[in-house]
Amino acid sequence: MSRPINSSGDRVTTDLLAMPFSMGRNLLCIFSKKHVDNPPELKSTKQRHNRMVMKTMQQLMTDGGKCIWVAPSGGRDRPSDDGKYEVAPFDSKSIEMFRLMSAKADRPTHFYPLSMFTYPICPPPTTVGGEIGEQRTVKYYPAALHFGEEVDVSRFSEGCVTDNFPAGCDASSSRDELREALAKHVHSIVSSNYQDLAAKLDMP
C-alpha cells in the first residue's frame, strides 16, 4: 500500500514534460479513446496493449492488497466557458468495467473518490487530442487532494448482459441507464469535493 499503482494515458511516457515524473513509477498505461485510432495503422497494436493492461489489472485485484488510482474521465480538470474549473465527465463504461473486474476478484474491493486540484500548476493543452509537443506552462501553486468516503457500488443495480447475468442484475432497465446512474453519482461526489478545494484556494 506504500506504493500506489497509477493508471494513466500513454502520453506520460512520451510527453517531454511528463516523462521525468513517470520514470520509476508504478504505472499502468492505457491508450485512451482519444488516441487509440491515431495513427490508424497502430490501432490494433494499441488495442492489444490495452487488453493486456486490463488483464494485468484484473490479476492485481485478484491478488488484493493493492491501491490503484484511476481517472475514469480520461482527462484533466479544465475551465468551462465561464472560467470555472470543472471535473471532466466520467466514462460510464470505464466505471462499470472496474465494477465487473472487482466482482471477478473474489475478494472485497473498495472504491474511494479522489478529487485533485492541480490545474494552476501545469494546465493541460487548450485542445484535446493534439500532437505531442504543445506549449505548456508551469507555475508555483499549491496542489490539493480530497479523499472522499467509500462509494458502495452495490447500492446501484447492474444491467443484464443476458438473462440473470450477472446474478441479481436488473432486467427492467437498460444497461446504459444503470451505468450512467452510477457514473453520475460518483462524478457528483468528486465534483463537489473538487469545488470545495477550489473555494479554499480562492480559485474561480
Side-chain angles (χ1 to χ4, degrees):
M1 296 293 290
S2 61
R3 296 194 64 193
I5 300 167
N6 300 285
S7 174
S8 62
D10 65 291
R11 290 196 162 199
V12 300
T13 62
T14 56
D15 183 271
L16 294 179
L17 181 62
M19 284 172 59
F21 300 98
S22 303
M23 299 175 66
R25 304 298 178 186
N26 288 343
L27 288 176
L28 293 173
C29 293
I30 301 174
F31 290 97
S32 72
K33 295 177 181 178
K34 303 183 186 75
H35 304 295
V36 74
D37 294 330
N38 183 31
E41 61 270 20
L42 294 180
K43 181 177 180 178
S44 61
T45 301
K46 292 180 178 181
Q47 289 176 327
R48 183 166 60 251
H49 169 84
N50 283 355
R51 287 193 294 270
M52 291 299 297
V53 172
M54 290 297 100
K55 183 178 180 180
T56 299
M57 193 172 295
Q58 178 66 73
Q59 187 59 53
L60 291 171
M61 287 187 172
T62 300
D63 294 342
K66 306 293 190 303
C67 178
I68 305 175
W69 181 88
V70 177
S73 65
R76 284 281 309 277
D77 48 341
R78 296 173 181 272
S80 59
D81 292 338
D82 61 3
K84 183 178 180 180
Y85 295 110
E86 296 181 342
V87 178
F90 288 175
D91 182 358
S92 60
K93 292 183 179 179
S94 294
I95 293 180
E96 182 68 8
M97 176 185 64
F98 286 108
R99 172 158 70 168
L100 291 174
M101 286 198 298
S102 69
K104 291 177 61 178
D106 292 328
R107 64 173 65 233
T109 301
H110 305 277
F111 294 91
Y112 292 90
L114 170 61
S115 304
M116 301 177 61
F117 190 90
T118 59
Y119 182 91
I121 299 174
C122 183
T126 54
T127 57
V128 179
E131 296 295 328
I132 293 293
E134 307 101 327
Q135 182 177 351
R136 308 292 292 274
T137 58
V138 179
K139 300 177 181 179
Y140 181 80
Y141 204 86
L145 306 177
H146 185 135
F147 278 93
E149 297 294 330
E150 181 177 1
V151 176
D152 184 4
V153 297
S154 66
R155 293 177 48 236
F156 292 82
S157 300
E158 293 185 68
C160 296
V161 180
T162 59
D163 290 342
N164 199 33
F165 179 81
C169 63
D170 182 0
S172 64
S173 303
S174 72
R175 294 186 68 205
D176 289 340
E177 291 174 342
L178 296 171
R179 280 195 298 244
E180 284 296 330
L182 175 57
K184 288 181 179 179
H185 173 71
V186 178
H187 184 270
S188 67
I189 296 174
V190 174
S191 294
S192 177
N193 293 339
Y194 178 89
Q195 294 303 330
D196 288 344
L197 293 175
K200 291 178 179 178
L201 295 177
D202 296 323
M203 294 300 294

